[in-house]
Amino acid sequence: MDPTKSSTPPPPPVLGAPVGYPPGAYPPPPGAPAAAYQPQLYAPPGAAAAQQAAAQQQQQLQVFWAEQYREIEATTDFKNHNLPLARIKKIMKADEDVRMIAAEAPVVFARACEMFILELTHRGWAHAEENKRRTLQKSDIAAAIARTEVFDFLVDIVPRDDAKDAEAAAAAAMATAAAGIPRPAAGVPATDPSMAYYYVPQQ
């Protein structure tokens, strides 16, 4: 048996994922140096746009966290806070087992809560931009929670129906925009005479 070849079969292709052409399947164009020729990946247009949006969102989050880290290191004033320390202390004392709270603990919690709110807002805003909106809505926050595994503990607070509706609306908006097909809202008659039909959503 050849040691350079694997006996395990290749993994099945993933629908919508970029596909690399096998090396040597397409030789370089005449006159082009072979070393400079890189095989191109093919990805369906919708998948490429989704991957680009996900990469852009990931980059924005990395910049956000880098900025937060710099801000934390540069902080010297611990007396001014965006969130009320008395309220945080009251929430902490809601646990019957907590008797005493050190002065630094509410300060740390205030900063942690602020960062949590900022990240959730960033993720929700990315969803709002995907849907071409400039207003952050409850459905954007629900979608951010549904998309991020770290926020799974919030699924009981934000109903799953909102998250599913937000994801379905985003997918439908992207598909409609990609296809270039104008569609009225469900159950609403078309106002354009060339679209004399009612759009019935799939069930």
Side-chain angles (χ1 to χ4, degrees):
M1 179 173 211
D2 188 4
T4 60
K5 293 194 177 188
S6 173
S7 62
T8 59
V14 177
L15 185 62
V19 178
Y21 294 115
Y26 297 97
Y37 178 72
Q38 295 290 328
Q40 299 294 317
L41 293 177
Y42 169 75
Q51 286 176 344
Q52 184 179 9
Q56 184 179 12
Q57 181 183 5
Q58 190 65 29
Q59 183 181 14
Q60 287 174 348
L61 283 171
Q62 287 174 347
V63 169
F64 165 75
W65 281 111
E67 180 63 32
Q68 291 298 311
Y69 187 74
R70 278 194 296 275
E71 189 177 317
I72 289 169
E73 285 187 334
T75 300
T76 57
D77 179 23
F78 295 100
K79 297 195 187 282
N80 297 322
H81 309 284
N82 291 333
L83 298 173
L85 295 182
R87 180 72 176 134
I88 291 171
K89 210 172 194 180
K90 186 177 179 181
I91 294 170
M92 291 171 73
K93 284 191 173 186
D95 185 356
E96 296 172 359
D97 296 335
V98 175
R99 301 267 186 250
M100 300 290 286
I101 298 172
E104 302 88 20
V107 174
V108 173
F109 268 108
R111 185 67 180 136
C113 290
E114 184 180 341
M115 292 169 65
F116 170 75
I117 293 166
L118 285 170
E119 181 176 2
L120 194 53
T121 303
H122 264 277
R123 291 180 183 272
W125 183 252
H127 185 266
E129 284 184 331
E130 283 176 14
N131 291 318
K132 313 258 188 290
R133 283 188 279 106
R134 304 290 296 169
T135 304
L136 192 62
Q137 298 176 351
K138 179 183 173 185
S139 62
D140 299 321
I141 302 301
I145 290 169
R147 290 179 177 179
T148 310
E149 193 174 320
V150 175
F151 296 142
D152 281 351
F153 69 96
L154 294 172
V155 295
D156 295 334
I157 297 169
V158 177
R160 291 179 184 247
D161 293 340
D162 289 347
K164 288 178 183 176
D165 292 345
E167 289 294 321
M174 291 181 90
T176 301
I181 301 170
R183 295 196 178 186
V188 176
T191 55
D192 185 3
S194 65
M195 291 182 10
Y197 63 90
Y198 286 84
Y199 175 64
V200 180
Q202 296 178 350
Q203 296 184 10

